[in-house]
Amino acid sequence: MKPAASSGSCRPREKSAHAPEPVDDAIGDEWLEHVAPLGVVAAARNYTQAERRLDKTLAAAKAAGATWADICRAAGITCQAAHERWADK
């Protein structure tokens, strides 16, 4: 899903190649009406926020001298996965 520019909500990723923009927007709005009650939109928002907190926490840990071994143990992932995810942060 791709966040909408203004509202932060999710829209179907691909625009229709055949539908005019207003129709495509109406399709996206109807899709949101169906998934919102399922908690999908809120869960996606929470996931994104958690990812940002984790990235900031990792940057602070690295700045404080944490090793990749410390980070992978704390994150519960392999050191290779931790390094691949956060090496450029």
Side-chain angles (χ1 to χ4, degrees):
M1 303 306 141
K2 177 178 146 187
S6 60
S7 66
S9 62
C10 295
R11 295 258 185 218
R13 180 173 288 177
E14 298 295 324
K15 291 278 189 180
S16 171
H18 305 288
E21 185 87 18
V23 173
D24 200 59
D25 289 343
I27 292 168
D29 291 343
E30 184 174 335
W31 177 81
L32 280 175
E33 287 177 26
H34 288 287
V35 298
L38 301 175
V40 173
V41 173
R45 189 175 301 118
N46 290 341
Y47 178 82
T48 300
Q49 291 170 349
E51 274 192 318
R52 288 183 191 137
R53 285 192 311 271
L54 184 56
D55 289 347
K56 287 179 182 179
T57 302
L58 170 100
K62 287 297 290 173
T67 66
W68 284 111
D70 297 332
I71 291 166
C72 66
R73 266 194 310 276
I77 59 177
T78 66
C79 289
Q80 179 179 349
H83 190 265
E84 287 173 2
R85 179 171 177 173
W86 293 302
D88 62 339
K89 302 236 186 264

